[in-house]
């Protein structure tokens, strides 16, 4: 007897006109509107019509580049972008159910600022905020801040001892960053605001806590200036391709995005993360492992292939990605997602190759197909992002310590 | 020939973290929930205000070693609230205080340029400076800035962000599908800034925003602050809301503009102001007195006295006489994270003066704090308040006011419904927004037009 499959979680990753570098040249794309509120509102409301769990919004502290390590000086691809937290905040009041998860760069920003920004995103969205934490070793981005420098590092240097040391340092710093952000979210107990007219006290200051974080890279005193957000702890997520970032996911995140190219690799990655999760003492917590996939979706498989070829030819080279690239029909994609779910992935973050085409193909093609298979929700069943992801509202660490 | 009537500029300051905000009023709502900000913004837009203003603080205030608990405590993130408010308003300018000490130019420039894009040209930045190690404890680099260098950093910060804003001309995104050219210039956004505080270079990744640069506000009042505003700001947020003080400040600051090659109309003077409305002037006066009593409880009065005395005065009776001991003149340790403390530069003289005034008027501690604290700027019927505001503006005590009501979120509702129509009847206040950007509302040139004008002259 087969039991009904457990429902999948689905997110989309939004980035400019889409993930294919020639996406902006498609007739359906709106390349001159990528910096407008209307463009982002249309994308996120389309994702909400498809009942998706959340959207992520890509960001970076330098111009987009086809190189992982430096600017490329190209003028044939989308360049220029807006701060992802601001886009998320701009769109949040115009949506009601979908989660909004902007990318934030831990390497050059202040955890204090970021913590209050995401807490506030949680207020303006009534409990639908998260973040995707990212590190950067790009030398040009460091020069934008002028506070630290990095050695030259090519992708092939990642596995060298020097490369590993640099990456481990950046991810350790990111772990500290997330720890500070999380402590600041808890630095106000939920019922700290008392408005006690008799004594004239607005807050009960015994319910506000200094976080007194001290790490290798920075110290932060606290408490936050912003009260505990509606979800208590908004969602923390990270993209991970190897052991060092898997460890960050296992220790610090609610969702990890991973990039297996087949079910066996998916199984191995999930196992590695679960082992680290147990080692971190979090075995009983829900930690989602989402597979990332780039998608070219059309009703006709040949059509999807032809579209990908056309885009590749416009770009001048075949598209490659860290993630698996799926080219085919919604039904074929549903088969693949269910196969990978059986290998232990609990959800998927789909990267539309062309936002204006593949996002509606997800919401109007893939989603109905998964619903027919009883593998996806038919209505939003919760008001918060944590609720959609099956995560309880966590107790406040400081309240627990003093109870 | 009579002088043409000046048009009044009005803006709204969200009531916040200080004792003028009466949180105990049954009509006082949340200071955190977005619904409060949305209500406040919609009222401001209904009243055709130029902008909404959000203050900022980066550490909770403390007194006597404890987090201060008598005022509203807590506020949301400035950028995030302003971006969300852009979704529920169409015209209203969105002004936020952002500190130039605990931020970096590249990130702040990205955020303001982004807010300007996402609001269709409604972003403004109130540049403030701070230096204290107390606030610095929340940030990676700690409290690293000597007080003497705060304006030096602020000026360089602003000049670096302006270089970033100007690093795109605004015509680089061509997005030509046929030729495959997205950008016309591979070097768009290129910048190099080397100075005492910042040594940065690279490419700014936010293309030019609708206003070119956000509108710049400045709020400091020192000599250095006034010069900073005269050289670099579009509007100054002052605290002189009485006629004589306002006129003196107005004359002083407008007089400084020439030194920087600027005209008097290129800097607006907008004092913070409060108001209390009533059915009659007497009724309004009575309401105003009641509000002041609620703003200054006995406990609040003692805490305010401690700003000057710099010692624990909790044993004193707020309804009794002032302390006969002198202030502690050492480093100020009792109240931390408060700008007011710096206002009392000579605590001994302040204490002496206060004791004399209290004795002469038979004031208790609480009476004294009420009398010396922020008095309401405009008290009366809507007709009285409209007439007074107009008088101040026409007499060059200001170009308008930034109104801070004493409760949230409905504190502006009566003003919008009752005072604004009277100003409109007098022909001194807009009945519709004439433009779409905050620069349009404030009558400020687009930076590109201003540059063209400079180059032509």
């Amino acid at each position: 007897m087969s039991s009904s499959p457990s429902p999948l979680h689905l997110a989309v990753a939004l980035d400019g006109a889409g993930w294919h570098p020639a996406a902006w040249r498609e007739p359906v794309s709106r390349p001159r509107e990528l910096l407008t509120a209307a463009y982002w509102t249309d994308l996120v409301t389309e994702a909400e019509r498809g009942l998706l769990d959340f959207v992520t919004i890509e960001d970076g502290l330098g111009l987009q580049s086809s190189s992982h390590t430096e600017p490329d000086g190209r003028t044939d691809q989308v360049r220029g972008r807006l701060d992802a937290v601001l886009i998320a905040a701009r769109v949040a009041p115009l949506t009601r159910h979908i989660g909004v998860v902007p990318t934030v760069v831990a390497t050059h920003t202040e955890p204090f600022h970021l913590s209050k920004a995401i807490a506030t995103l949680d207020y303006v969205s009534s409990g639908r905020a998260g973040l995707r934490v990212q590190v950067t070793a790009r030398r040009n981005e460091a020069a934008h801040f002028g506070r630290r420098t990095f050695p030259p590092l090519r992708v092939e240097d990642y596995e060298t001892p020097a490369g590993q040391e640099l990456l481990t340092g950046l991810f350790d710093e990111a772990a500290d960053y997330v720890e500070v952000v999380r402590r600041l979210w808890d630095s106000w107990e939920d019922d700290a605001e008392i408005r006690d007219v008799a004594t004239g006290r607005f807050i009960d200051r015994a319910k506000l806590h200094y976080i007194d974080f001290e790490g290798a890279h920075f110290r932060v005193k606290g408490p936050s200036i912003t009260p505990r957000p509606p979800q208590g702890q908004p969602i923390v997520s990270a993209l991970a391709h190897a052991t060092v970032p898997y460890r960050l996911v296992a220790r610090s995140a609610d969702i990890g995005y991973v990039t297996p190219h087949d079910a066996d690799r998916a199984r191995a990655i999930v196992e590695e993360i679960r082992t680290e999760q147990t080692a971190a003492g979090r075995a009983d917590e829900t930690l989602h492992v989402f597979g990332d996939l780039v998608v070219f979706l059309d009703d006709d498989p040949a059509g999807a292939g032809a579209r990908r070829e056309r885009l590749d030819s416009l770009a001048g080279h075949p598209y490659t990605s860290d993630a698996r690239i799926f080219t085919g029909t919604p039904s074929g994609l549903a088969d693949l997602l269910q196969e990978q779910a059986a290998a232990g992935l609990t959800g998927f973050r789909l990267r539309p190759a062309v936002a204006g085409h593949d996002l509606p193909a997800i919401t109007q093609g893939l989603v109905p197909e998964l619903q027919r298979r009883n593998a996806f929700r038919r209505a939003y069943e919760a008001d918060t992002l944590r609720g959609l992801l099956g995560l309880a509202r966590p107790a406040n660490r400081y309240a627990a310590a003093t109870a | 020939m009579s002088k043409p009537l000046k048009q009044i500029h009005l803006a709204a300051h969200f009531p916040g973290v200080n004792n003028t905000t009466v949180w105990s009023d049954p009509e006082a709502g949340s200071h955190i929930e977005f619904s409060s900000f949305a209500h406040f913004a919609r009222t401001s837009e209904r009243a055709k205000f130029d902008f909404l203003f959000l203050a900022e603080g980066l550490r909770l205030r403390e007194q006597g070693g404890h987090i201060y608990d008598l005022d509203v405590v807590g506020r949301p993130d400035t950028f995030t609230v302003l971006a969300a408010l852009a979704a529920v308003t169409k015209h209203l300018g969105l002004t936020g205080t952002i500190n130039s000490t605990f931020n970096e130019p590249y990130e702040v420039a990205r955020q303001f340029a982004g807010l300007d894009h996402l609001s269709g040209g409604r972003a403004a930045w109130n540049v403030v400076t701070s230096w204290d190690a107390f606030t610095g404890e929340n940030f990676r680099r700690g409290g690293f800035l000597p007080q003497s260098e705060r304006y030096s950093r602020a000026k360089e910060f602003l000049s670096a962000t302006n270089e970033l804003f100007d690093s795109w001309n605004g015509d680089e995104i061509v997005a030509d599908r046929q030729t495959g050219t997205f950008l016309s210039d591979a070097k768009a956004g290129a910048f190099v800034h080397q100075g005492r505080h910042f040594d940065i270079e690279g490419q700014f990744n936010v293309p030019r925003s609708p206003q070119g640069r956000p509108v710049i506000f400045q709020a400091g009042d020192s000599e250095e602050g006034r010069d900073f505003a005269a050289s670099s700001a579009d509007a100054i947020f002052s605290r002189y809301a009485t006629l004589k003080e306002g006129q003196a400040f107005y004359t002083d600051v407008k007089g400084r503009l020439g030194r920087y090659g600027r005209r008097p109309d290129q800097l607006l003077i907008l004092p913070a102001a409060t108001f209390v409305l009533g059915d009659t002037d007497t009724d309004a006066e009575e309401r105003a007195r009641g509000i002041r009593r609620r703003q200054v409880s006995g406990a609040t009065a003692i805490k305010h006295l401690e700003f000057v005395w710099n010692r624990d005065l909790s044993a004193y009776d707020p309804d009794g006489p002032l302390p006969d001991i002198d202030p502690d003149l050492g480093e100020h340790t009792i109240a931390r994270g408060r700008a007011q403390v710096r206002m009392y530069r000579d605590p001994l003289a302040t204490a002496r003066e206060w004791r004399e005034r209290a004795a002469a008027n038979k004031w208790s501690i609480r009476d004294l704090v009420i009398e010396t604290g922020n008095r309401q700027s405009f008290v009366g019927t809507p007709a009285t308040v409209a007439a007074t505001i107009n008088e101040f503006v026409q007499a060059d005590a200001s170009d308008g006011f930034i109104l801070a009501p004493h409760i949230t979120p409905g504190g502006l509702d009566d003003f919008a419904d009752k005072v604004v129509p009277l100003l409109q009847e007098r022909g001194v206040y807009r009945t519709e927004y004439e433009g779409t950007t905050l620069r349009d509302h404030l009558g400020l040139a687009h930076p590109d037009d201003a540059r063209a004008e400079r180059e032509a002259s």
Side-chain angles (χ1 to χ4, degrees):
Chain A
M1 277 283 290
S2 73
S3 60
S4 77
S6 64
L8 295 177
H9 295 283
L10 274 188
V12 283
L14 301 179
D15 186 15
W19 287 72
H20 193 287
W24 67 270
R25 297 178 69 175
E26 286 287 278
V28 73
S29 295
R30 298 153 65 184
R32 299 182 71 96
E33 296 174 44
L34 303 180
L35 306 173
T36 66
Y39 177 75
W40 292 95
T41 304
D42 289 349
L43 292 187
V44 179
T45 49
E46 178 59 31
E48 185 169 72
R49 274 194 290 277
L51 308 176
L52 303 191
D53 290 73
F54 60 93
V55 296
T56 62
I57 302 166
E58 298 299 303
D59 202 358
L61 295 173
L63 273 187
Q64 299 94 321
S65 175
S66 54
S67 157
H68 285 289
T69 53
E70 57 196 5
D72 61 6
R74 293 177 73 149
T75 56
D76 62 331
Q77 300 177 357
V78 170
R79 294 292 180 267
R81 66 186 353 151
L82 302 179
D83 182 280
V85 177
L86 290 180
I87 292 173
R90 178 64 178 78
V91 170
L94 305 176
T95 53
R96 287 185 58 202
H97 298 284
I98 193 160
V100 282
V101 180
T103 296
V104 305
V105 177
T107 311
H108 300 293
T109 64
E110 290 283 355
F112 189 86
H113 286 316
L114 200 278
S115 174
K116 65 184 162 62
I118 301 299
T120 303
L121 183 61
D122 211 36
Y123 279 103
V124 305
S125 65
S126 302
R128 297 181 282 125
L131 66 87
R132 176 204 155 200
V133 64
Q134 182 174 254
V135 306
T136 171
R138 290 177 191 245
R139 305 172 78 206
N140 65 305
E141 294 181 7
H144 292 163
F145 289 81
R147 299 287 165 212
R148 61 202 294 182
T149 55
F150 296 120
L153 189 73
R154 295 162 306 168
V155 174
E156 52 269 36
D157 296 333
Y158 285 170
E159 297 304 320
T160 65
Q164 282 294 296
E165 190 185 330
L166 175 65
L167 290 179
T168 303
L170 288 173
F171 278 96
D172 283 349
E173 182 182 3
D176 281 359
Y177 189 98
V178 172
E179 173 69 11
V180 167
V181 166
R182 287 189 178 281
R183 285 195 200 180
L184 287 168
W185 286 336
D186 275 352
S187 66
W188 290 56
E189 294 184 34
D190 290 317
D191 52 357
E193 185 179 315
I194 52 172
R195 296 193 188 221
D196 185 48
V197 177
T199 61
R201 294 178 306 142
F202 182 78
I203 50 154
D204 177 354
R205 64 187 173 211
K207 296 188 172 187
L208 268 54
H209 303 275
Y210 296 103
I211 68 165
D212 283 321
F213 177 86
E214 293 204 37
H217 303 273
F218 50 85
R219 297 194 285 185
V220 176
K221 179 78 182 173
S224 180
I225 61 164
T226 306
R228 194 167 193 242
Q231 293 183 99
Q233 292 274 317
I235 295 299
V236 175
S237 64
L239 174 63
H241 299 102
T243 297
V244 168
Y246 292 154
R247 199 167 288 147
L248 174 70
V249 165
R251 290 173 179 176
S252 307
D254 301 295
I255 305 171
Y257 312 111
V258 300
T259 53
H261 284 240
D262 60 47
D264 283 345
R265 186 69 191 126
R267 203 169 283 115
I269 293 170
V270 169
E271 190 183 316
E272 184 172 359
I273 291 177
R274 296 292 174 216
T275 303
E276 292 279 359
Q277 183 187 356
T278 303
R282 296 181 68 205
D284 56 343
E285 292 179 35
T286 300
L287 168 60
H288 284 290
V289 183
F290 278 28
D292 261 22
L293 294 153
V294 180
V295 296
F296 294 82
L297 285 181
D298 287 276
D299 291 337
D300 163 18
R307 189 159 60 90
R308 181 173 168 185
E309 277 171 30
R310 190 174 74 242
L311 285 162
D312 282 355
S313 132
L314 285 171
H317 54 82
Y319 178 60
T320 58
S321 172
D322 55 321
R324 178 165 176 171
I325 303 170
F326 177 84
T327 309
T329 64
S331 160
L333 180 57
D335 291 343
L336 176 65
L337 300 188
Q338 289 191 304
E339 180 198 333
Q340 297 227 343
L345 297 177
T346 54
F348 298 90
R349 186 176 74 142
L350 304 178
R351 307 179 186 175
V354 176
H357 181 104
D358 295 298
L359 173 61
I362 291 165
T363 55
Q364 296 160 32
L366 174 69
V367 164
E369 176 63 27
L370 288 171
Q371 287 169 333
R372 273 193 288 279
R373 302 179 185 201
N374 284 326
F376 195 66
R377 69 171 63 84
R378 290 168 188 280
Y380 279 112
E381 70 275 22
D383 294 331
T384 67
L385 179 54
R386 290 189 77 90
L388 293 178
L389 293 167
L391 297 162
R393 191 175 189 279
N396 186 317
R397 74 196 66 194
Y398 297 107
T402 55
Chain B
M1 217 174 89
S2 68
K3 216 168 107 182
L5 286 177
K6 279 169 75 182
Q7 289 292 304
I8 296 169
H9 294 279
L10 292 176
H13 181 171
F14 190 83
V17 176
N18 54 57
N19 74 289
T20 56
T21 304
V22 179
W23 54 259
S24 57
D25 191 297
E27 291 185 15
S30 172
H31 291 81
I32 299 296
E33 297 294 339
F34 184 62
S35 56
S36 285
F37 291 90
H39 178 112
F40 196 76
R42 286 182 177 124
T43 305
S44 303
E45 190 159 270
R46 177 156 56 89
K48 315 288 185 234
F49 282 8
D50 288 352
F51 60 91
L52 175 148
F53 172 80
L54 288 188
E56 187 184 48
L58 296 175
R59 178 138 180 208
L60 299 182
R61 302 175 310 174
E62 293 184 2
Q63 195 140 334
H66 299 286
I67 291 169
Y68 193 82
D69 58 2
L70 301 178
D71 297 346
V72 168
V73 180
R75 50 180 127 207
D77 178 69
T78 302
F79 281 118
T80 313
V81 170
L82 294 179
L85 287 177
V88 298
T89 55
K90 277 197 172 129
H91 293 92
L92 189 67
L94 302 164
T95 304
T97 296
I98 293 293
N99 194 294
S100 60
T101 303
F102 300 109
N103 285 291
E104 299 296 335
Y106 193 90
E107 191 182 9
V108 168
R110 283 198 86 218
Q111 289 167 313
F112 273 113
L115 180 63
D116 207 45
H117 277 289
L118 292 168
S119 64
R122 298 190 274 142
W125 174 19
N126 180 38
V127 186
V128 299
T129 63
S130 83
W131 67 90
D132 58 293
F134 177 72
T135 306
E137 284 184 289
N138 280 334
F139 296 94
R140 288 176 184 248
R141 296 171 63 214
F144 60 92
L145 192 67
Q147 178 173 353
S148 57
E149 289 192 25
R150 62 192 181 121
Y151 276 110
S152 144
R153 180 174 163 110
K155 275 181 203 164
E156 196 183 324
F157 196 112
L158 182 57
S159 116
T161 51
N162 280 335
E163 287 161 37
L164 294 168
F165 295 135
D166 291 349
S167 66
W168 291 71
N169 289 322
D171 55 4
E172 293 93 341
I173 296 182
V174 292
D176 184 331
R177 288 189 173 92
Q178 299 311 315
T179 62
T181 304
F182 186 83
L183 275 192
S184 64
D185 177 6
K187 292 284 176 203
F191 70 95
V192 179
H193 174 97
Q194 286 173 314
R196 175 162 160 52
H197 299 276
F198 305 103
D199 183 356
I200 57 178
E201 63 173 53
Q203 261 181 300
F204 187 48
N205 70 347
V206 185
R208 198 159 176 83
S209 70
Q211 293 191 110
R213 298 172 179 181
V215 172
I216 300 296
F217 288 76
Q218 200 275 335
D221 185 37
S222 62
E223 281 294 307
E224 275 184 297
R226 291 179 186 207
D227 274 327
F228 179 43
S231 68
S232 317
D234 299 306
I236 187 162
F237 192 177
S238 85
R239 55 190 176 88
Y240 300 106
T242 65
L243 188 66
K244 282 228 163 81
E245 285 180 329
Q247 285 173 321
F249 182 82
Y250 193 94
T251 306
D252 177 89
V253 173
K254 295 260 181 178
R256 292 173 194 243
L257 285 156
R259 289 179 217 170
Y260 303 97
R262 304 179 71 202
R263 291 190 314 264
D265 64 351
Q266 289 176 302
L267 178 69
L268 295 168
I269 313 270
L270 301 173
T274 58
F275 62 90
V276 179
L277 301 176
D279 293 335
T280 63
D281 287 346
T282 315
D283 169 46
E285 284 293 347
E286 196 171 309
R287 290 194 60 211
R289 271 193 299 278
I291 290 165
R292 292 204 295 275
R293 296 288 289 178
R294 285 190 289 164
Q295 290 169 327
V296 183
S297 67
T300 294
I302 295 291
K303 297 289 185 194
H304 276 234
L305 222 54
E306 291 181 352
F307 300 162
V308 174
W309 263 258
N310 188 23
R311 49 168 96 219
D312 179 3
L313 301 176
S314 55
Y316 285 81
D317 174 4
D319 296 319
L322 270 68
D324 48 16
I325 54 167
D326 279 331
D328 182 343
L329 294 181
E331 183 202 351
H332 206 289
T333 54
I334 198 98
R336 310 181 76 185
R338 277 191 188 267
Q340 292 104 306
V341 167
R342 297 196 293 275
M343 284 160 48
Y344 304 118
R345 294 207 170 87
D346 184 349
L348 280 181
T350 304
R352 199 180 317 122
E353 184 204 329
W354 283 7
R355 276 197 291 256
E356 284 166 7
R357 287 184 67 191
N361 293 293
K362 298 193 166 51
W363 287 339
S364 67
I365 288 173
R366 188 176 178 193
D367 295 333
L368 180 280
V369 171
I370 288 172
E371 294 298 328
T372 57
N374 294 330
R375 297 293 299 269
Q376 293 97 342
S377 317
F378 304 113
V379 177
T381 62
T384 304
V385 168
T388 314
I389 286 176
N390 188 39
E391 180 200 345
F392 276 45
V393 172
Q394 303 309 333
D396 285 345
S398 77
D399 294 309
F401 294 95
I402 300 175
L403 299 167
H406 68 274
I407 62 168
T408 179
L412 281 178
D413 295 357
D414 275 356
F415 192 97
D417 295 333
K418 297 174 181 170
V419 181
V420 165
L422 298 176
L423 294 171
Q424 290 167 331
E425 277 173 27
R426 288 170 179 263
V428 292
Y429 189 71
R430 71 170 64 90
T431 52
E432 288 301 333
Y433 289 104
E434 289 126 39
T436 57
T437 69
L438 177 54
R439 284 184 185 279
D440 293 337
H441 308 338
L442 293 170
L444 298 166
H446 192 281
D448 297 341
D449 300 335
R451 188 166 52 194
E453 187 189 334
R454 260 198 319 280
E455 283 164 3
S457 65

